[in-house]
């Protein structure tokens, strides 16, 4: 179920900041490879190595603002993931 809704890019426990990245397949690619394909992947990989930032990818093949809002509600209520920062593309 979690894999269909979101993917954690790195460990969230003990992080001071949680960043949720939402969007379509452009955001989904952030978790599809360990090799940087573009500047966005490179930046996320660089920041995820920092101990105080946890990343959650909510990217999926097709998306809309209403689904992103619902996804955030489910993450908070069902999975107890409370992002400090939300990046939506």
């Amino acid at each position: 179920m979690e894999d269909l809704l979101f993917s954690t890019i790195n460990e969230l426990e003990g992080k001071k900041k949680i960043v949720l990245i939402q969007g379509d397949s452009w955001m989904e690619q952030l978790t599809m490879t360990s090799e940087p394909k573009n500047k966005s992947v490179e930046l996320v990989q660089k920041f995820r190595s920092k101990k105080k930032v946890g990343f959650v990818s909510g990217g999926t093949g097709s998306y809309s603002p209403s689904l992103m809002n619902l996804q955030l509600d489910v993450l908070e209520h069902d999975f107890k993931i409370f992002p400090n920062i939300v990046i939506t593309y």
Side-chain angles (χ1 to χ4, degrees), residues 10-48:
N10 65 329
E11 181 62 42
L12 301 180
E13 190 171 324
K15 301 297 191 249
K16 290 191 175 197
K17 297 281 183 196
I18 305 255
V19 177
L20 171 62
I21 302 170
Q22 293 182 310
D24 59 12
S25 59
W26 285 94
M27 297 299 102
E28 185 179 32
Q29 72 178 326
L30 296 175
T31 58
M32 300 195 71
T33 180
S34 61
E35 296 295 321
K37 288 183 178 181
N38 59 36
K39 195 66 169 170
S40 298
V41 173
E42 183 181 327
L43 287 171
V44 168
Q45 289 178 347
K46 180 179 178 180
F47 276 95
R48 76 179 185 191

Side-chain angles (χ1 to χ4, degrees), residues 56-84:
V56 176
S57 173
T60 187
S62 177
Y63 241 56
S64 72
S66 60
L67 291 175
M68 287 185 235
N69 188 48
L70 178 60
Q71 180 186 50
L72 179 58
D73 289 344
V74 170
L75 285 171
E76 290 179 344
H77 293 106
D78 296 345
F79 294 95
K80 306 302 181 217
I81 296 174
F82 302 96
N84 305 89

